[in-house]
């Protein structure tokens, strides 16, 4: 395990690294292509120092600034620049580094990333702002004019824009051990592409017979595409160093221009800035595009897994081309192999004829209105199986509010429909059991009273006549005592059947309790109700089939009450019950009408 350096050793390390690197780069730049006022076309020390400031810990920055100042003054004086001018240049360079670092840290609290287009844009803005401020300071301290300001600004800006990114990225790759994780084939490709970029740049700027300065740009774009931001930054650094060195020595198409040295330098700077603003943003955008493509691929994979788990597929109809696309799960819902050729007509024709028209109508209305839609129908698959499917969808609108497509989902809901059918069947069966008398199969007391309550509400609202008859079996206790309870139960069952057979479908007879029954006679006048009740009495009395079966002959006594505006069913039943007891007292096997 590597032991961390002490703060003092770390400060010395950054001091030496700054001083050595800055002095060497400054000396090299002053020997390279020079513009007016002895200003180099590109000033790499500015980019080198800014890169170190972004990489070093905060406590090492003061020693680093001292090292930068010593190296800057020393390099300038070695090249014959007066001490006063060297000091002024150093102050301006220190100011540009301070401003650039502050602007970058203001927006990028963490590590500066050259993988994000927005961060790249902020870095470029910070570099230009810092170089402009530095140029202004240098112009004021030296008393030079606007041409000096412009040359200084472009030179320093190019130094930061070209040199800082590759140093920062390479240092972080080494620190994170990312270099060792890169496959050997990719390392070989990176070296080859950067070598080609260097060769193409040298060939383009070592001669002026053929204007092929676009070739380095092509090589740079290829490096950016294959290697990402680091390839773009490293390639840009290589192109800038070779182009500046050869142009400064009088080689290449720019040096061959019939213009002053100042114009040649400005043109070289324009050339480098143009390439820079092509390469770095392109590389960052490619990173974003690849990340989005990876996320999209992952999202699609999750979507397919979710569709398979939920038995939900998706589909899209292109209204302009009149074509349809299905997801793999949509094919499975329809019983087809994924990838089978399908069209819009086939998709609709799979619905059963009685559902097909409704589906077509819903889709046509959705296209017309632009509103979302939902429909459910049955499809017949190629294996002959009928499946219930449910679709949700929406309309895709183009320019001018015109529908250009239909997007929808389809779900196999056969199990849901079948479960609902079973549940409804079970509910109906339970309701029938809850409302049915188990001995007779007739409505029980609960159902009978509910039916009577509804009939009374209708009679109250519509004024339709209504009557209630209560009857029970005469001498039923004696039947149980003599013939047994089994015979008594069979008598009750038989009486209920005979009574039901004597009524219309609109009427109801239910077992009220024990040997007692209630008939609800709807739409019956007093006379009509009396005739029906009498028919029930006679049917029970004349039950020859019951006698043949060995059952004792029985009779019933009936009390009849016609609805007269009673406030409750209890009041109406009480009137009918009183009439029943009247019939009992008067000898049984007879019908009596309530007063």
């Amino acid at each position: 395990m590597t032991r961390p350096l002490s703060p003092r050793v770390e400060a010395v390390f950054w001091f030496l690294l700054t001083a050595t690197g800055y002095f060497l780069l400054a000396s090299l730049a002053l020997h390279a292509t020079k513009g007016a006022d002895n200003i180099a076309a590109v000033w790499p020390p500015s980019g080198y120092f800014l890169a170190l400031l972004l990489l070093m810990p905060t406590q090492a920055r003061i020693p680093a600034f001292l090292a930068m100042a010593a190296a800057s003054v020393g390099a300038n004086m070695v090249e014959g620049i007066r001490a006063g001018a060297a000091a002024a240049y150093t102050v301006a360079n220190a100011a540009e580094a301070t401003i650039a670092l502050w602007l970058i840290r203001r927006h990028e609290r963490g590590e500066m990333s050259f993988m994000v287009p927005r961060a790249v844009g902020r870095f470029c803005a910070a570099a230009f702002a810092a170089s402009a401020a530095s140029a202004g300071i240098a112009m004021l301290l030296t008393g030079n004019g606007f041409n000096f300001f412009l040359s200084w600004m472009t030179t320093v800006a190019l130094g930061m824009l070209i040199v800082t990114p590759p140093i920062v990225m390479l240092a972080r790759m080494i620190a994170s051990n990312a270099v060792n994780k890169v496959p050997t084939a990719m390392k070989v490709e990176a070296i080859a592409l950067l070598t080609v970029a260097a060769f193409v740049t040298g060939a383009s700027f070592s001669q002026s017979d053929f204007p092929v300065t676009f070739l380095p740009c092509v090589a740079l774009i290829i490096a950016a595409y294959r290697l990402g931001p680091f390839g773009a930054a490293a390639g840009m650094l290589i192109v800038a160093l070779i182009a500046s060195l050869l142009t400064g020595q009088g080689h290449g198409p720019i040096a061959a221009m019939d213009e002053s040295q100042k114009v040649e330098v400005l043109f070289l700077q324009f050339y480098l800035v143009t390439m820079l603003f092509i390469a770095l943003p392109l590389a960052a955008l490619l990173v974003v595009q690849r990340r989005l493509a990876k996320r999209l691929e992952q999202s699609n994979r999750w979507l397919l897994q979710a569709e398979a788990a939920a038995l939900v597929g998706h589909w899209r109809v292109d209204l302009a081309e009149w074509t349809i696309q299905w997801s793999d799960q949509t094919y499975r819902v329809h019983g087809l192999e994924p990838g089978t050729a399908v069209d819009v007509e086939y998709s609709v024709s799979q619905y059963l004829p009685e559902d097909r028209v409704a589906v077509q109508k819903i889709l046509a209305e959705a296209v017309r209105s632009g509103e979302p839609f939902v429909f459910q129908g049955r499809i017949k698959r190629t294996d002959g199986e009928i499946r219930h499917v449910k679709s949700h969808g929406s309309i895709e609108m183009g320019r001018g509010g015109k529908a250009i497509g239909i997007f929808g989902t389809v779900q196999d809901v056969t199990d849901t429909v079948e479960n609902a059918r079973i549940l409804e069947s079970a509910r109906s069966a339970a309701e029938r059991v809850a409302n049915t008398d188990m001995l007779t199969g007739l409505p029980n007391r609960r159902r009978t009273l509910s039916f009577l309550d509804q009939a009374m509400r209708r009679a109250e609202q519509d004024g339709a006549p209504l009557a209630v008859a209560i009857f029970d079996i005469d001498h039923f206790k004696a039947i149980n005592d003599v013939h047994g309870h089994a015979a008594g139960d069979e008598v009750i069952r038989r009486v209920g059947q005979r009574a039901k057979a004597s009524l219309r479908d609109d009427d109801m007879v239910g077992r009220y309790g024990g040997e007692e029954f209630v008939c609800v006679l709807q739409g019956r006048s007093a006379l009509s109700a009396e005739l029906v009740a009498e028919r029930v009495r006679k049917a029970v009395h004349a039950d020859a089939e019951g006698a043949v079966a060995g059952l004792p002959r029985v009779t019933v006594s009936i009390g009849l009450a016609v609805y007269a505006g009673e406030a409750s069913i209890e009041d109406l039943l009480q009137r009918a019950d009183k009439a029943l007891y009247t019939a009992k007292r008067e000898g049984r096997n007879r019908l009596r009408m309530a007063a």
Side-chain angles (χ1 to χ4, degrees), residues 12 23 42 50 137 227 249-250 268 285 301 315 377 396 445-446 457 467 506 509 531 548-549 558 562 564 572:
V12 172
F23 180 83
V42 178
L50 178 58
I137 294 172
L227 306 178
Q249 294 176 352
L268 176 61
L285 289 173
R301 186 167 59 252
W315 52 269
E396 298 178 13
R445 179 187 183 98
R446 173 177 173 271
R457 291 178 186 275
D506 290 343
V509 58
L531 292 175
V548 171
I558 304 177
V562 177
L572 181 59

PDB file of all heavy atoms in Angstrom, residues 12 23 42 50 137 227 249-250 268 285 301 315 377 396 445-446 457 467 506 509 531 548-549 558 562 564 572:
ATOM      1  N   VAL A  12       6.768  20.523  -1.981  1.00  0.00           N
ATOM      2  CA  VAL A  12       8.022  20.539  -2.745  1.00  0.00           C
ATOM      3  C   VAL A  12       7.838  19.870  -4.099  1.00  0.00           C
ATOM      4  O   VAL A  12       8.353  20.339  -5.131  1.00  0.00           O
ATOM      5  CB  VAL A  12       9.138  19.845  -1.933  1.00  0.00           C
ATOM      6  CG1 VAL A  12      10.397  19.672  -2.785  1.00  0.00           C
ATOM      7  CG2 VAL A  12       9.458  20.626  -0.668  1.00  0.00           C
ATOM      8  N   PHE A  23       9.222  26.275 -17.054  1.00  0.00           N
ATOM      9  CA  PHE A  23      10.431  26.852 -17.649  1.00  0.00           C
ATOM     10  C   PHE A  23      10.729  26.209 -19.005  1.00  0.00           C
ATOM     11  O   PHE A  23      11.033  26.912 -19.979  1.00  0.00           O
ATOM     12  CB  PHE A  23      11.629  26.655 -16.704  1.00  0.00           C
ATOM     13  CG  PHE A  23      12.900  27.220 -17.233  1.00  0.00           C
ATOM     14  CD1 PHE A  23      13.195  28.583 -17.086  1.00  0.00           C
ATOM     15  CD2 PHE A  23      13.824  26.420 -17.904  1.00  0.00           C
ATOM     16  CE1 PHE A  23      14.367  29.112 -17.582  1.00  0.00           C
ATOM     17  CE2 PHE A  23      14.999  26.954 -18.409  1.00  0.00           C
ATOM     18  CZ  PHE A  23      15.270  28.302 -18.254  1.00  0.00           C
ATOM     19  N   VAL A  42       1.434  30.213 -29.778  1.00  0.00           N
ATOM     20  CA  VAL A  42       0.730  29.460 -28.730  1.00  0.00           C
ATOM     21  C   VAL A  42       1.603  29.521 -27.489  1.00  0.00           C
ATOM     22  O   VAL A  42       2.830  29.404 -27.573  1.00  0.00           O
ATOM     23  CB  VAL A  42       0.515  27.982 -29.149  1.00  0.00           C
ATOM     24  CG1 VAL A  42      -0.166  27.210 -28.028  1.00  0.00           C
ATOM     25  CG2 VAL A  42      -0.290  27.892 -30.427  1.00  0.00           C
ATOM     26  N   LEU A  50      -2.346  25.814 -15.635  1.00  0.00           N
ATOM     27  CA  LEU A  50      -3.762  25.660 -15.284  1.00  0.00           C
ATOM     28  C   LEU A  50      -4.098  24.189 -15.027  1.00  0.00           C
ATOM     29  O   LEU A  50      -4.851  23.865 -14.107  1.00  0.00           O
ATOM     30  CB  LEU A  50      -4.649  26.217 -16.405  1.00  0.00           C
ATOM     31  CG  LEU A  50      -6.168  26.087 -16.190  1.00  0.00           C
ATOM     32  CD1 LEU A  50      -6.597  26.790 -14.909  1.00  0.00           C
ATOM     33  CD2 LEU A  50      -6.931  26.639 -17.383  1.00  0.00           C
ATOM     34  N   ILE A 137      -4.081  43.212 -18.522  1.00  0.00           N
ATOM     35  CA  ILE A 137      -3.082  43.522 -17.498  1.00  0.00           C
ATOM     36  C   ILE A 137      -1.702  43.712 -18.133  1.00  0.00           C
ATOM     37  O   ILE A 137      -0.968  44.664 -17.816  1.00  0.00           O
ATOM     38  CB  ILE A 137      -3.052  42.404 -16.439  1.00  0.00           C
ATOM     39  CG1 ILE A 137      -4.369  42.371 -15.664  1.00  0.00           C
ATOM     40  CG2 ILE A 137      -1.868  42.585 -15.489  1.00  0.00           C
ATOM     41  CD1 ILE A 137      -4.513  41.190 -14.739  1.00  0.00           C
ATOM     42  N   LEU A 227     -11.337   7.657 -30.082  1.00  0.00           N
ATOM     43  CA  LEU A 227     -10.716   7.697 -28.763  1.00  0.00           C
ATOM     44  C   LEU A 227     -11.431   8.601 -27.785  1.00  0.00           C
ATOM     45  O   LEU A 227     -11.050   8.654 -26.608  1.00  0.00           O
ATOM     46  CB  LEU A 227      -9.249   8.140 -28.886  1.00  0.00           C
ATOM     47  CG  LEU A 227      -8.384   7.332 -29.864  1.00  0.00           C
ATOM     48  CD1 LEU A 227      -6.978   7.918 -29.925  1.00  0.00           C
ATOM     49  CD2 LEU A 227      -8.343   5.861 -29.458  1.00  0.00           C
ATOM     50  N   GLN A 249       9.440  28.044 -38.323  1.00  0.00           N
ATOM     51  CA  GLN A 249      10.683  27.857 -39.063  1.00  0.00           C
ATOM     52  C   GLN A 249      10.543  28.223 -40.538  1.00  0.00           C
ATOM     53  O   GLN A 249      11.485  28.013 -41.315  1.00  0.00           O
ATOM     54  CB  GLN A 249      11.137  26.400 -38.930  1.00  0.00           C
ATOM     55  CG  GLN A 249      11.529  26.016 -37.513  1.00  0.00           C
ATOM     56  CD  GLN A 249      11.875  24.538 -37.391  1.00  0.00           C
ATOM     57  OE1 GLN A 249      11.675  23.777 -38.331  1.00  0.00           O
ATOM     58  NE2 GLN A 249      12.407  24.163 -36.219  1.00  0.00           N
ATOM     59  N   GLY A 250       9.380  28.755 -40.886  1.00  0.00           N
ATOM     60  CA  GLY A 250       9.185  29.232 -42.252  1.00  0.00           C
ATOM     61  C   GLY A 250       8.694  28.186 -43.219  1.00  0.00           C
ATOM     62  O   GLY A 250       8.766  28.392 -44.442  1.00  0.00           O
ATOM     63  N   LEU A 268      -2.603  31.373 -38.203  1.00  0.00           N
ATOM     64  CA  LEU A 268      -2.319  30.088 -37.575  1.00  0.00           C
ATOM     65  C   LEU A 268      -3.183  29.899 -36.323  1.00  0.00           C
ATOM     66  O   LEU A 268      -3.726  28.808 -36.079  1.00  0.00           O
ATOM     67  CB  LEU A 268      -0.839  29.994 -37.216  1.00  0.00           C
ATOM     68  CG  LEU A 268      -0.413  28.733 -36.452  1.00  0.00           C
ATOM     69  CD1 LEU A 268      -0.692  27.485 -37.271  1.00  0.00           C
ATOM     70  CD2 LEU A 268       1.070  28.816 -36.066  1.00  0.00           C
ATOM     71  N   LEU A 285     -19.753  15.454 -27.329  1.00  0.00           N
ATOM     72  CA  LEU A 285     -21.076  15.049 -27.812  1.00  0.00           C
ATOM     73  C   LEU A 285     -21.116  13.564 -28.145  1.00  0.00           C
ATOM     74  O   LEU A 285     -22.139  12.898 -27.923  1.00  0.00           O
ATOM     75  CB  LEU A 285     -21.457  15.879 -29.042  1.00  0.00           C
ATOM     76  CG  LEU A 285     -21.786  17.350 -28.776  1.00  0.00           C
ATOM     77  CD1 LEU A 285     -21.975  18.096 -30.083  1.00  0.00           C
ATOM     78  CD2 LEU A 285     -23.049  17.469 -27.924  1.00  0.00           C
ATOM     79  N   ARG A 301     -33.919  -3.155 -23.068  1.00  0.00           N
ATOM     80  CA  ARG A 301     -33.810  -4.494 -22.503  1.00  0.00           C
ATOM     81  C   ARG A 301     -34.742  -4.646 -21.303  1.00  0.00           C
ATOM     82  O   ARG A 301     -35.436  -5.665 -21.158  1.00  0.00           O
ATOM     83  CB  ARG A 301     -32.359  -4.764 -22.102  1.00  0.00           C
ATOM     84  CG  ARG A 301     -32.127  -6.196 -21.635  1.00  0.00           C
ATOM     85  CD  ARG A 301     -30.640  -6.518 -21.551  1.00  0.00           C
ATOM     86  NE  ARG A 301     -29.934  -5.638 -20.633  1.00  0.00           N
ATOM     87  CZ  ARG A 301     -29.100  -4.683 -21.001  1.00  0.00           C
ATOM     88  NH1 ARG A 301     -28.861  -4.464 -22.283  1.00  0.00           N
ATOM     89  NH2 ARG A 301     -28.489  -3.919 -20.102  1.00  0.00           N
ATOM     90  N   TRP A 315     -47.007  -1.546 -29.906  1.00  0.00           N
ATOM     91  CA  TRP A 315     -47.082  -1.504 -31.362  1.00  0.00           C
ATOM     92  C   TRP A 315     -47.206  -0.055 -31.812  1.00  0.00           C
ATOM     93  O   TRP A 315     -47.588   0.814 -31.041  1.00  0.00           O
ATOM     94  CB  TRP A 315     -48.273  -2.322 -31.871  1.00  0.00           C
ATOM     95  CG  TRP A 315     -49.591  -1.977 -31.213  1.00  0.00           C
ATOM     96  CD1 TRP A 315     -50.128  -2.547 -30.099  1.00  0.00           C
ATOM     97  CD2 TRP A 315     -50.520  -0.951 -31.623  1.00  0.00           C
ATOM     98  NE1 TRP A 315     -51.320  -1.968 -29.781  1.00  0.00           N
ATOM     99  CE2 TRP A 315     -51.599  -0.980 -30.704  1.00  0.00           C
ATOM    100  CE3 TRP A 315     -50.562  -0.032 -32.669  1.00  0.00           C
ATOM    101  CZ2 TRP A 315     -52.687  -0.124 -30.806  1.00  0.00           C
ATOM    102  CZ3 TRP A 315     -51.649   0.821 -32.766  1.00  0.00           C
ATOM    103  CH2 TRP A 315     -52.694   0.768 -31.845  1.00  0.00           C
ATOM    104  N   GLY A 377     -61.062  -6.582 -26.873  1.00  0.00           N
ATOM    105  CA  GLY A 377     -61.740  -7.467 -27.805  1.00  0.00           C
ATOM    106  C   GLY A 377     -61.119  -8.846 -27.784  1.00  0.00           C
ATOM    107  O   GLY A 377     -60.190  -9.127 -27.014  1.00  0.00           O
ATOM    108  N   GLU A 396     -49.969  10.127 -32.215  1.00  0.00           N
ATOM    109  CA  GLU A 396     -48.797  10.979 -32.397  1.00  0.00           C
ATOM    110  C   GLU A 396     -49.145  12.064 -33.404  1.00  0.00           C
ATOM    111  O   GLU A 396     -49.579  11.765 -34.513  1.00  0.00           O
ATOM    112  CB  GLU A 396     -47.613  10.151 -32.901  1.00  0.00           C
ATOM    113  CG  GLU A 396     -47.167   9.074 -31.934  1.00  0.00           C
ATOM    114  CD  GLU A 396     -46.024   8.253 -32.490  1.00  0.00           C
ATOM    115  OE1 GLU A 396     -45.436   8.686 -33.513  1.00  0.00           O
ATOM    116  OE2 GLU A 396     -45.728   7.188 -31.932  1.00  0.00           O
ATOM    117  N   ARG A 445     -87.054 -15.970   2.736  1.00  0.00           N
ATOM    118  CA  ARG A 445     -87.709 -14.818   3.376  1.00  0.00           C
ATOM    119  C   ARG A 445     -86.997 -13.517   3.007  1.00  0.00           C
ATOM    120  O   ARG A 445     -87.640 -12.519   2.675  1.00  0.00           O
ATOM    121  CB  ARG A 445     -87.711 -15.024   4.897  1.00  0.00           C
ATOM    122  CG  ARG A 445     -88.351 -13.873   5.678  1.00  0.00           C
ATOM    123  CD  ARG A 445     -88.143 -14.081   7.169  1.00  0.00           C
ATOM    124  NE  ARG A 445     -88.801 -13.033   7.934  1.00  0.00           N
ATOM    125  CZ  ARG A 445     -89.990 -13.147   8.506  1.00  0.00           C
ATOM    126  NH1 ARG A 445     -90.680 -14.285   8.390  1.00  0.00           N
ATOM    127  NH2 ARG A 445     -90.516 -12.141   9.190  1.00  0.00           N
ATOM    128  N   ARG A 446     -85.621 -13.534   3.029  1.00  0.00           N
ATOM    129  CA  ARG A 446     -84.851 -12.319   2.723  1.00  0.00           C
ATOM    130  C   ARG A 446     -85.135 -11.827   1.321  1.00  0.00           C
ATOM    131  O   ARG A 446     -85.396 -10.638   1.098  1.00  0.00           O
ATOM    132  CB  ARG A 446     -83.358 -12.620   2.895  1.00  0.00           C
ATOM    133  CG  ARG A 446     -82.408 -11.522   2.464  1.00  0.00           C
ATOM    134  CD  ARG A 446     -80.965 -11.929   2.772  1.00  0.00           C
ATOM    135  NE  ARG A 446     -80.023 -10.981   2.236  1.00  0.00           N
ATOM    136  CZ  ARG A 446     -79.505 -11.042   1.020  1.00  0.00           C
ATOM    137  NH1 ARG A 446     -79.878 -12.031   0.205  1.00  0.00           N
ATOM    138  NH2 ARG A 446     -78.643 -10.137   0.605  1.00  0.00           N
ATOM    139  N   ARG A 457     -92.244   0.015  -4.065  1.00  0.00           N
ATOM    140  CA  ARG A 457     -91.692   1.289  -4.541  1.00  0.00           C
ATOM    141  C   ARG A 457     -92.226   1.609  -5.942  1.00  0.00           C
ATOM    142  O   ARG A 457     -92.561   2.762  -6.241  1.00  0.00           O
ATOM    143  CB  ARG A 457     -90.163   1.227  -4.558  1.00  0.00           C
ATOM    144  CG  ARG A 457     -89.532   1.167  -3.173  1.00  0.00           C
ATOM    145  CD  ARG A 457     -88.009   1.058  -3.265  1.00  0.00           C
ATOM    146  NE  ARG A 457     -87.395   0.872  -1.977  1.00  0.00           N
ATOM    147  CZ  ARG A 457     -87.074   1.869  -1.137  1.00  0.00           C
ATOM    148  NH1 ARG A 457     -87.343   3.122  -1.501  1.00  0.00           N
ATOM    149  NH2 ARG A 457     -86.524   1.615   0.017  1.00  0.00           N
ATOM    150  N   ALA A 467    -100.746  -6.682  -4.954  1.00  0.00           N
ATOM    151  CA  ALA A 467    -101.410  -7.450  -3.899  1.00  0.00           C
ATOM    152  C   ALA A 467    -100.443  -8.452  -3.316  1.00  0.00           C
ATOM    153  O   ALA A 467     -99.510  -8.910  -3.988  1.00  0.00           O
ATOM    154  CB  ALA A 467    -102.642  -8.164  -4.454  1.00  0.00           C
ATOM    155  N   ASP A 506     -94.227 -12.600 -13.766  1.00  0.00           N
ATOM    156  CA  ASP A 506     -94.062 -11.324 -13.062  1.00  0.00           C
ATOM    157  C   ASP A 506     -94.340 -11.454 -11.571  1.00  0.00           C
ATOM    158  O   ASP A 506     -93.975 -10.577 -10.800  1.00  0.00           O
ATOM    159  CB  ASP A 506     -95.000 -10.271 -13.658  1.00  0.00           C
ATOM    160  CG  ASP A 506     -94.569  -9.863 -15.064  1.00  0.00           C
ATOM    161  OD1 ASP A 506     -93.404 -10.132 -15.425  1.00  0.00           O
ATOM    162  OD2 ASP A 506     -95.401  -9.300 -15.800  1.00  0.00           O
ATOM    163  N   VAL A 509     -93.576 -16.269  -5.627  1.00  0.00           N
ATOM    164  CA  VAL A 509     -93.970 -16.962  -4.416  1.00  0.00           C
ATOM    165  C   VAL A 509     -92.690 -17.359  -3.698  1.00  0.00           C
ATOM    166  O   VAL A 509     -91.754 -17.897  -4.293  1.00  0.00           O
ATOM    167  CB  VAL A 509     -94.842 -18.210  -4.704  1.00  0.00           C
ATOM    168  CG1 VAL A 509     -94.124 -19.192  -5.609  1.00  0.00           C
ATOM    169  CG2 VAL A 509     -95.254 -18.886  -3.392  1.00  0.00           C
ATOM    170  N   LEU A 531    -108.616 -13.933  -7.851  1.00  0.00           N
ATOM    171  CA  LEU A 531    -108.722 -15.098  -8.735  1.00  0.00           C
ATOM    172  C   LEU A 531    -107.419 -15.902  -8.747  1.00  0.00           C
ATOM    173  O   LEU A 531    -107.446 -17.139  -8.727  1.00  0.00           O
ATOM    174  CB  LEU A 531    -109.059 -14.634 -10.152  1.00  0.00           C
ATOM    175  CG  LEU A 531    -110.472 -14.033 -10.338  1.00  0.00           C
ATOM    176  CD1 LEU A 531    -110.632 -13.494 -11.755  1.00  0.00           C
ATOM    177  CD2 LEU A 531    -111.551 -15.088 -10.043  1.00  0.00           C
ATOM    178  N   VAL A 548    -100.552 -39.592  -5.291  1.00  0.00           N
ATOM    179  CA  VAL A 548     -99.990 -40.797  -5.882  1.00  0.00           C
ATOM    180  C   VAL A 548     -98.632 -41.106  -5.271  1.00  0.00           C
ATOM    181  O   VAL A 548     -98.242 -42.264  -5.083  1.00  0.00           O
ATOM    182  CB  VAL A 548     -99.892 -40.638  -7.411  1.00  0.00           C
ATOM    183  CG1 VAL A 548     -99.109 -41.806  -8.017  1.00  0.00           C
ATOM    184  CG2 VAL A 548    -101.270 -40.540  -8.022  1.00  0.00           C
ATOM    185  N   ALA A 549     -97.852 -40.075  -4.975  1.00  0.00           N
ATOM    186  CA  ALA A 549     -96.527 -40.256  -4.386  1.00  0.00           C
ATOM    187  C   ALA A 549     -96.576 -40.675  -2.933  1.00  0.00           C
ATOM    188  O   ALA A 549     -95.538 -40.856  -2.299  1.00  0.00           O
ATOM    189  CB  ALA A 549     -95.725 -38.962  -4.518  1.00  0.00           C
ATOM    190  N   ILE A 558    -105.549 -18.910   2.873  1.00  0.00           N
ATOM    191  CA  ILE A 558    -104.892 -17.754   2.261  1.00  0.00           C
ATOM    192  C   ILE A 558    -105.506 -16.471   2.765  1.00  0.00           C
ATOM    193  O   ILE A 558    -106.745 -16.330   2.831  1.00  0.00           O
ATOM    194  CB  ILE A 558    -105.012 -17.816   0.722  1.00  0.00           C
ATOM    195  CG1 ILE A 558    -104.434 -19.128   0.181  1.00  0.00           C
ATOM    196  CG2 ILE A 558    -104.308 -16.614   0.088  1.00  0.00           C
ATOM    197  CD1 ILE A 558    -104.583 -19.299  -1.316  1.00  0.00           C
ATOM    198  N   VAL A 562    -104.614  -6.102  -0.708  1.00  0.00           N
ATOM    199  CA  VAL A 562    -104.275  -5.260  -1.856  1.00  0.00           C
ATOM    200  C   VAL A 562    -103.608  -3.993  -1.345  1.00  0.00           C
ATOM    201  O   VAL A 562    -104.075  -3.382  -0.368  1.00  0.00           O
ATOM    202  CB  VAL A 562    -105.532  -4.923  -2.672  1.00  0.00           C
ATOM    203  CG1 VAL A 562    -105.188  -3.980  -3.826  1.00  0.00           C
ATOM    204  CG2 VAL A 562    -106.174  -6.200  -3.209  1.00  0.00           C
ATOM    205  N   ALA A 564    -102.630  -0.475  -0.479  1.00  0.00           N
ATOM    206  CA  ALA A 564    -103.469   0.714  -0.358  1.00  0.00           C
ATOM    207  C   ALA A 564    -102.664   1.889   0.173  1.00  0.00           C
ATOM    208  O   ALA A 564    -103.161   2.685   0.976  1.00  0.00           O
ATOM    209  CB  ALA A 564    -104.655   0.416   0.555  1.00  0.00           C
ATOM    210  N   LEU A 572     -98.335  -3.856   5.116  1.00  0.00           N
ATOM    211  CA  LEU A 572     -99.089  -4.603   4.111  1.00  0.00           C
ATOM    212  C   LEU A 572     -99.158  -6.084   4.478  1.00  0.00           C
ATOM    213  O   LEU A 572    -100.220  -6.723   4.373  1.00  0.00           O
ATOM    214  CB  LEU A 572     -98.426  -4.426   2.741  1.00  0.00           C
ATOM    215  CG  LEU A 572     -99.108  -5.126   1.561  1.00  0.00           C
ATOM    216  CD1 LEU A 572    -100.550  -4.647   1.400  1.00  0.00           C
ATOM    217  CD2 LEU A 572     -98.321  -4.893   0.267  1.00  0.00           C
TER     218      LEU A 572
END
